[in-house]
Amino acid sequence: MTLITRRNVLKSAAAVGAAGLVTSPAIGQAKWPTRPVQMICPWGAGGGTDAVVRIVSALLEKSLGQPFNVVNRTGGSGVVGHSAIATGAPDGYTLGIITSEIAMMHHQGLTQLNPSSYTPLALMNSDPSGVQVKGDSPYKTIKDLADAIKAAPAGKMKASGTGQGGIWHLALIGWLLGMKLAPDHVAWAPSNGAAPAMQDLAAGGIDFVTCSVPEARAMLDAGRARSLAIMAAERNPQFKDVPTMKETLGIDFQVGSWRGIAGPQKLPENVAKIMNVELKTIYDSKEYKEFMDARGFTMIYADAPGFGTYMAESDKQMGVALTAGGLAKKPA
């Protein structure tokens, strides 16, 4: 099953073109921001989402001359932070980073929020899931781990990476279904993101983590974890020694976590226009590319209307996948 691909989003963004962008003189006349802007992150400090929003905020602060303060609002499998962005005053001083979970949570009955609850500004990144084990794990390859999962009684092995029904939980479910196992054959231990899940892995509380390889990089570089495979069509050039699940197990399941900047509905037009230009400038900047490459994050961009289309497509596909995994509380 393929959820969202790079080609799909580039095609979508090309279709909408550069509508809504303004020239720099128009920006120069705008009266925003005149005070600090709150940038909400729905996931914990130290994870991939936190890293992306912090580099974006730092570059916005540099170019716009006002603080862009990152606030981590975790909890509720992402509901708390996503709700804080959606319900913020639509004045341009509450923005944030939204993730693929917003295309999933309402299918699970966790919230009424969905992609249309926001003013999309730009898609900035998308990363496929990987499978990580402890540095001293007996599982040397993804086949070793797959064989152990198949041999273990249902529920004996435990995995983590995000909240119940989150994107990395969906990654596990897709893999289990690909192995013709029940979606709950491996028990899921909910967490507030990849960083705490990786800490739990290092402490021996779980058997493996399904999260993006970049999110696990600190542990990988320290030798405290190893990545066995990624759920993508091809290897990540930044982690070229990590094989795809398709080439190792013959399971062609692809899933990834996307991240984009957004604000509440009815965001002022001048704010949206300024952010459209600033975010594209950031995406094209040397600083952003070097930051993303250094961490192995996959760069992918869509402007405001393209991001809206991308989210709508993701919402449909996530609904289908969640239903297949028995996690949907209402029809997809």
Side-chain angles (χ1 to χ4, degrees):
M1 180 189 300
T2 300
L3 295 184
I4 292 288
T5 66
R6 181 180 180 87
R7 181 165 53 184
N8 285 345
V9 70
L10 293 179
K11 181 178 179 181
S12 175
V16 297
L21 300 187
V22 295
T23 61
S24 55
I27 290 178
Q29 298 166 9
K31 300 288 187 182
W32 179 91
T34 59
R35 55 186 172 86
V37 177
Q38 179 178 233
M39 293 288 282
I40 294 172
C41 177
W43 304 104
T49 303
D50 180 71
V52 173
V53 74
R54 286 185 186 277
I55 182 61
V56 170
S57 296
L59 294 175
L60 284 170
E61 182 171 323
K62 181 179 178 181
S63 63
L64 294 177
Q66 288 289 341
F68 278 71
N69 300 318
V70 176
V71 178
N72 298 90
R73 297 286 300 276
T74 63
S77 298
V79 172
V80 173
H82 282 94
S83 178
I85 300 170
T87 59
D91 56 8
Y93 292 95
T94 297
L95 304 174
I97 187 166
I98 60 176
T99 64
S100 44
E101 279 78 9
I102 198 59
M104 304 170 65
M105 296 185 294
H106 70 102
H107 292 294
Q108 301 163 283
L110 298 177
T111 179
Q112 293 184 352
L113 295 172
N114 61 65
S116 66
S117 302
Y118 304 88
T119 297
L121 297 172
L123 175 68
M124 302 296 286
N125 156 250
S126 180
D127 290 302
S129 178
V131 180
Q132 281 68 236
V133 295
K134 284 184 66 177
D136 60 357
S137 170
Y139 312 120
K140 305 301 182 184
T141 68
I142 192 67
K143 186 177 185 305
D144 291 341
L145 179 57
D147 289 344
I149 291 171
K150 292 176 183 177
K156 181 177 181 180
M157 298 189 75
K158 295 195 330 184
S160 187
T162 188
Q164 180 78 15
I167 186 66
W168 303 138
H169 188 191
L170 180 58
L172 171 64
I173 290 172
W175 179 26
L176 292 174
L177 293 175
M179 291 193 291
K180 302 188 184 308
L181 297 172
D184 59 352
H185 185 82
V186 172
W188 186 255
S191 71
N192 280 324
M198 290 300 297
Q199 291 291 342
D200 198 11
L201 176 71
I206 52 178
D207 296 291
F208 62 95
V209 169
T210 47
C211 71
S212 70
V213 181
E215 289 178 300
R217 186 163 198 162
M219 291 282 198
L220 298 174
D221 290 347
R224 300 178 67 191
R226 284 184 288 110
S227 188
L228 302 182
I230 59 171
M231 302 178 193
E234 56 189 25
R235 297 190 184 198
N236 183 336
Q238 302 296 325
F239 303 98
K240 59 184 179 181
D241 293 332
V242 180
T244 68
M245 197 165 282
K246 182 178 180 180
E247 68 182 280
T248 50
L249 297 179
I251 298 175
D252 188 15
F253 177 73
Q254 302 171 34
V255 63
S257 176
W258 52 257
R259 305 177 179 100
I261 306 301
Q265 289 179 340
K266 300 181 180 178
L267 200 64
E269 184 178 354
N270 71 309
V271 174
K273 287 179 177 180
I274 291 170
M275 287 294 289
N276 286 342
V277 174
E278 292 293 336
L279 291 171
K280 182 62 166 67
T281 299
I282 286 172
Y283 183 85
D284 291 336
S285 71
K286 179 181 178 182
E287 295 95 329
Y288 187 71
K289 178 173 174 48
E290 288 180 347
F291 180 92
M292 300 297 276
D293 285 349
R295 289 155 182 78
F297 290 143
T298 303
M299 291 180 62
I300 186 168
Y301 174 81
D303 63 9
F307 185 25
T309 300
Y310 184 93
M311 287 195 291
E313 292 175 355
S314 178
D315 187 68
K316 292 178 183 178
Q317 294 169 331
M318 292 294 189
V320 170
L322 284 163
T323 299
L327 288 169
K329 296 293 179 64
K330 61 180 182 179

Short mmCIF file of all heavy atoms in Angstrom, two decimals, residues 288-318:
data_model
loop_
_atom_site.label_atom_id
_atom_site.label_comp_id
_atom_site.label_asym_id
_atom_site.label_seq_id
_atom_site.Cartn_x
_atom_site.Cartn_y
_atom_site.Cartn_z
N TYR A 288 18.57 25.76 5.52
CA TYR A 288 17.55 24.72 5.70
C TYR A 288 18.02 23.41 5.09
O TYR A 288 17.89 22.34 5.71
CB TYR A 288 16.23 25.17 5.07
CG TYR A 288 15.07 24.24 5.36
CD1 TYR A 288 14.51 24.17 6.63
CD2 TYR A 288 14.52 23.45 4.35
CE1 TYR A 288 13.44 23.33 6.89
CE2 TYR A 288 13.45 22.60 4.60
CZ TYR A 288 12.91 22.55 5.87
OH TYR A 288 11.87 21.71 6.14
N LYS A 289 18.57 23.47 3.89
CA LYS A 289 19.04 22.25 3.23
C LYS A 289 20.13 21.57 4.03
O LYS A 289 20.12 20.34 4.21
CB LYS A 289 19.52 22.57 1.82
CG LYS A 289 20.08 21.35 1.07
CD LYS A 289 20.40 21.65 -0.36
CE LYS A 289 21.07 20.47 -1.05
NZ LYS A 289 20.40 19.19 -0.83
N GLU A 290 21.08 22.35 4.53
CA GLU A 290 22.17 21.76 5.32
C GLU A 290 21.64 21.13 6.60
O GLU A 290 22.09 20.05 7.01
CB GLU A 290 23.22 22.83 5.64
CG GLU A 290 24.04 23.25 4.43
CD GLU A 290 25.09 24.30 4.76
OE1 GLU A 290 25.00 24.89 5.87
OE2 GLU A 290 25.97 24.53 3.93
N PHE A 291 20.68 21.81 7.25
CA PHE A 291 20.08 21.28 8.48
C PHE A 291 19.36 19.96 8.19
O PHE A 291 19.55 18.97 8.91
CB PHE A 291 19.09 22.31 9.05
CG PHE A 291 18.41 21.86 10.31
CD1 PHE A 291 18.95 22.18 11.56
CD2 PHE A 291 17.23 21.14 10.27
CE1 PHE A 291 18.32 21.77 12.73
CE2 PHE A 291 16.60 20.73 11.44
CZ PHE A 291 17.14 21.05 12.66
N MET A 292 18.56 19.93 7.16
CA MET A 292 17.79 18.74 6.83
C MET A 292 18.70 17.59 6.38
O MET A 292 18.52 16.44 6.79
CB MET A 292 16.76 19.06 5.75
CG MET A 292 15.75 20.13 6.15
SD MET A 292 14.69 19.68 7.54
CE MET A 292 13.42 18.75 6.67
N ASP A 293 19.68 17.91 5.54
CA ASP A 293 20.60 16.87 5.06
C ASP A 293 21.41 16.28 6.21
O ASP A 293 21.67 15.07 6.24
CB ASP A 293 21.54 17.44 4.00
CG ASP A 293 20.87 17.65 2.66
OD1 ASP A 293 19.73 17.16 2.48
OD2 ASP A 293 21.48 18.30 1.78
N ALA A 294 21.83 17.12 7.13
CA ALA A 294 22.64 16.65 8.25
C ALA A 294 21.89 15.65 9.12
O ALA A 294 22.49 14.78 9.75
CB ALA A 294 23.10 17.84 9.11
N ARG A 295 20.57 15.74 9.13
CA ARG A 295 19.75 14.84 9.94
C ARG A 295 19.08 13.75 9.12
O ARG A 295 18.37 12.91 9.67
CB ARG A 295 18.69 15.67 10.71
CG ARG A 295 19.32 16.48 11.81
CD ARG A 295 18.53 17.70 12.18
NE ARG A 295 19.22 18.46 13.22
CZ ARG A 295 20.27 19.27 12.98
NH1 ARG A 295 20.71 19.42 11.74
NH2 ARG A 295 20.86 19.90 13.97
N GLY A 296 19.27 13.79 7.81
CA GLY A 296 18.68 12.77 6.95
C GLY A 296 17.22 12.97 6.67
O GLY A 296 16.54 12.07 6.17
N PHE A 297 16.68 14.17 6.96
CA PHE A 297 15.28 14.44 6.69
C PHE A 297 15.06 14.61 5.18
O PHE A 297 15.87 15.24 4.49
CB PHE A 297 14.82 15.72 7.39
CG PHE A 297 14.73 15.61 8.88
CD1 PHE A 297 15.08 16.68 9.69
CD2 PHE A 297 14.28 14.45 9.49
CE1 PHE A 297 14.99 16.60 11.08
CE2 PHE A 297 14.19 14.35 10.87
CZ PHE A 297 14.55 15.43 11.67
N THR A 298 13.97 14.08 4.69
CA THR A 298 13.63 14.20 3.28
C THR A 298 12.94 15.53 3.03
O THR A 298 11.90 15.83 3.61
CB THR A 298 12.70 13.06 2.83
OG1 THR A 298 13.34 11.81 3.12
CG2 THR A 298 12.41 13.15 1.34
N MET A 299 13.51 16.35 2.16
CA MET A 299 12.92 17.64 1.83
C MET A 299 11.85 17.47 0.75
O MET A 299 12.08 16.81 -0.27
CB MET A 299 14.00 18.61 1.34
CG MET A 299 14.97 19.04 2.43
SD MET A 299 16.24 20.18 1.85
CE MET A 299 15.23 21.58 1.31
N ILE A 300 10.71 18.04 1.01
CA ILE A 300 9.62 18.01 0.03
C ILE A 300 8.76 19.25 0.29
O ILE A 300 8.52 19.61 1.45
CB ILE A 300 8.79 16.72 0.14
CG1 ILE A 300 7.75 16.63 -0.97
CG2 ILE A 300 8.17 16.56 1.50
CD1 ILE A 300 7.11 15.26 -1.10
N TYR A 301 8.35 19.93 -0.77
CA TYR A 301 7.67 21.21 -0.61
C TYR A 301 6.37 21.26 -1.41
O TYR A 301 6.26 20.71 -2.50
CB TYR A 301 8.58 22.35 -1.10
CG TYR A 301 7.91 23.71 -1.12
CD1 TYR A 301 7.79 24.46 0.04
CD2 TYR A 301 7.38 24.22 -2.30
CE1 TYR A 301 7.16 25.68 0.04
CE2 TYR A 301 6.75 25.46 -2.31
CZ TYR A 301 6.64 26.19 -1.13
OH TYR A 301 6.00 27.40 -1.14
N ALA A 302 5.39 21.93 -0.83
CA ALA A 302 4.18 22.31 -1.55
C ALA A 302 3.75 23.66 -0.99
O ALA A 302 3.83 23.89 0.22
CB ALA A 302 3.06 21.29 -1.38
N ASP A 303 3.30 24.55 -1.86
CA ASP A 303 2.83 25.86 -1.39
C ASP A 303 1.48 25.70 -0.72
O ASP A 303 0.97 24.58 -0.56
CB ASP A 303 2.80 26.86 -2.54
CG ASP A 303 1.83 26.47 -3.65
OD1 ASP A 303 1.04 25.51 -3.46
OD2 ASP A 303 1.84 27.13 -4.70
N ALA A 304 0.88 26.81 -0.33
CA ALA A 304 -0.36 26.74 0.46
C ALA A 304 -1.47 25.92 -0.21
O ALA A 304 -1.99 24.97 0.40
CB ALA A 304 -0.85 28.15 0.79
N PRO A 305 -1.86 26.22 -1.45
CA PRO A 305 -2.91 25.40 -2.06
C PRO A 305 -2.45 23.98 -2.32
O PRO A 305 -3.23 23.01 -2.20
CB PRO A 305 -3.24 26.14 -3.36
CG PRO A 305 -2.09 27.04 -3.62
CD PRO A 305 -1.52 27.39 -2.29
N GLY A 306 -1.18 23.79 -2.69
CA GLY A 306 -0.67 22.44 -2.91
C GLY A 306 -0.67 21.62 -1.63
O GLY A 306 -0.98 20.43 -1.64
N PHE A 307 -0.34 22.25 -0.50
CA PHE A 307 -0.37 21.58 0.79
C PHE A 307 -1.80 21.18 1.15
O PHE A 307 -2.05 20.09 1.68
CB PHE A 307 0.24 22.49 1.85
CG PHE A 307 0.38 21.89 3.22
CD1 PHE A 307 0.47 20.52 3.42
CD2 PHE A 307 0.43 22.72 4.34
CE1 PHE A 307 0.62 19.98 4.69
CE2 PHE A 307 0.57 22.19 5.62
CZ PHE A 307 0.66 20.82 5.79
N GLY A 308 -2.75 22.06 0.85
CA GLY A 308 -4.15 21.72 1.11
C GLY A 308 -4.59 20.49 0.33
O GLY A 308 -5.27 19.60 0.87
N THR A 309 -4.19 20.41 -0.93
CA THR A 309 -4.52 19.25 -1.76
C THR A 309 -3.84 17.99 -1.22
O THR A 309 -4.44 16.91 -1.15
CB THR A 309 -4.08 19.49 -3.22
OG1 THR A 309 -4.78 20.63 -3.73
CG2 THR A 309 -4.37 18.30 -4.09
N TYR A 310 -2.59 18.13 -0.84
CA TYR A 310 -1.81 17.01 -0.29
C TYR A 310 -2.49 16.45 0.95
O TYR A 310 -2.62 15.23 1.12
CB TYR A 310 -0.41 17.52 0.04
CG TYR A 310 0.57 16.49 0.53
CD1 TYR A 310 1.42 15.83 -0.35
CD2 TYR A 310 0.69 16.20 1.88
CE1 TYR A 310 2.35 14.91 0.10
CE2 TYR A 310 1.61 15.28 2.35
CZ TYR A 310 2.44 14.64 1.45
OH TYR A 310 3.35 13.73 1.91
N MET A 311 -2.93 17.33 1.85
CA MET A 311 -3.58 16.88 3.07
C MET A 311 -4.90 16.17 2.78
O MET A 311 -5.24 15.19 3.43
CB MET A 311 -3.81 18.06 4.01
CG MET A 311 -2.56 18.55 4.69
SD MET A 311 -2.90 19.62 6.11
CE MET A 311 -3.58 21.07 5.30
N ALA A 312 -5.65 16.68 1.81
CA ALA A 312 -6.93 16.05 1.46
C ALA A 312 -6.71 14.64 0.94
O ALA A 312 -7.46 13.71 1.28
CB ALA A 312 -7.66 16.90 0.43
N GLU A 313 -5.67 14.46 0.11
CA GLU A 313 -5.36 13.13 -0.41
C GLU A 313 -4.91 12.21 0.73
O GLU A 313 -5.32 11.04 0.80
CB GLU A 313 -4.26 13.23 -1.46
CG GLU A 313 -4.69 13.95 -2.74
CD GLU A 313 -3.54 14.13 -3.72
OE1 GLU A 313 -2.40 13.78 -3.35
OE2 GLU A 313 -3.79 14.62 -4.82
N SER A 314 -4.07 12.74 1.61
CA SER A 314 -3.60 11.96 2.75
C SER A 314 -4.76 11.54 3.64
O SER A 314 -4.81 10.40 4.13
CB SER A 314 -2.59 12.78 3.56
OG SER A 314 -2.14 12.08 4.70
N ASP A 315 -5.72 12.44 3.84
CA ASP A 315 -6.87 12.15 4.69
C ASP A 315 -7.66 10.95 4.16
O ASP A 315 -8.04 10.06 4.92
CB ASP A 315 -7.77 13.38 4.76
CG ASP A 315 -8.90 13.21 5.75
OD1 ASP A 315 -8.63 13.15 6.96
OD2 ASP A 315 -10.07 13.13 5.31
N LYS A 316 -7.87 10.91 2.86
CA LYS A 316 -8.60 9.78 2.26
C LYS A 316 -7.83 8.48 2.42
O LYS A 316 -8.39 7.45 2.80
CB LYS A 316 -8.85 10.06 0.78
CG LYS A 316 -9.82 11.19 0.50
CD LYS A 316 -9.97 11.42 -1.00
CE LYS A 316 -10.88 12.60 -1.31
NZ LYS A 316 -10.98 12.86 -2.77
N GLN A 317 -6.53 8.52 2.14
CA GLN A 317 -5.72 7.32 2.18
C GLN A 317 -5.52 6.80 3.59
O GLN A 317 -5.54 5.59 3.83
CB GLN A 317 -4.38 7.58 1.50
CG GLN A 317 -4.54 7.85 0.01
CD GLN A 317 -3.27 8.38 -0.63
OE1 GLN A 317 -2.48 9.04 0.03
NE2 GLN A 317 -3.09 8.12 -1.91
N MET A 318 -5.35 7.70 4.55
CA MET A 318 -5.21 7.28 5.93
C MET A 318 -6.49 6.64 6.44
O MET A 318 -6.46 5.67 7.20
CB MET A 318 -4.84 8.48 6.81
CG MET A 318 -3.46 9.06 6.57
SD MET A 318 -2.14 7.92 7.02
CE MET A 318 -0.73 9.02 6.87
#
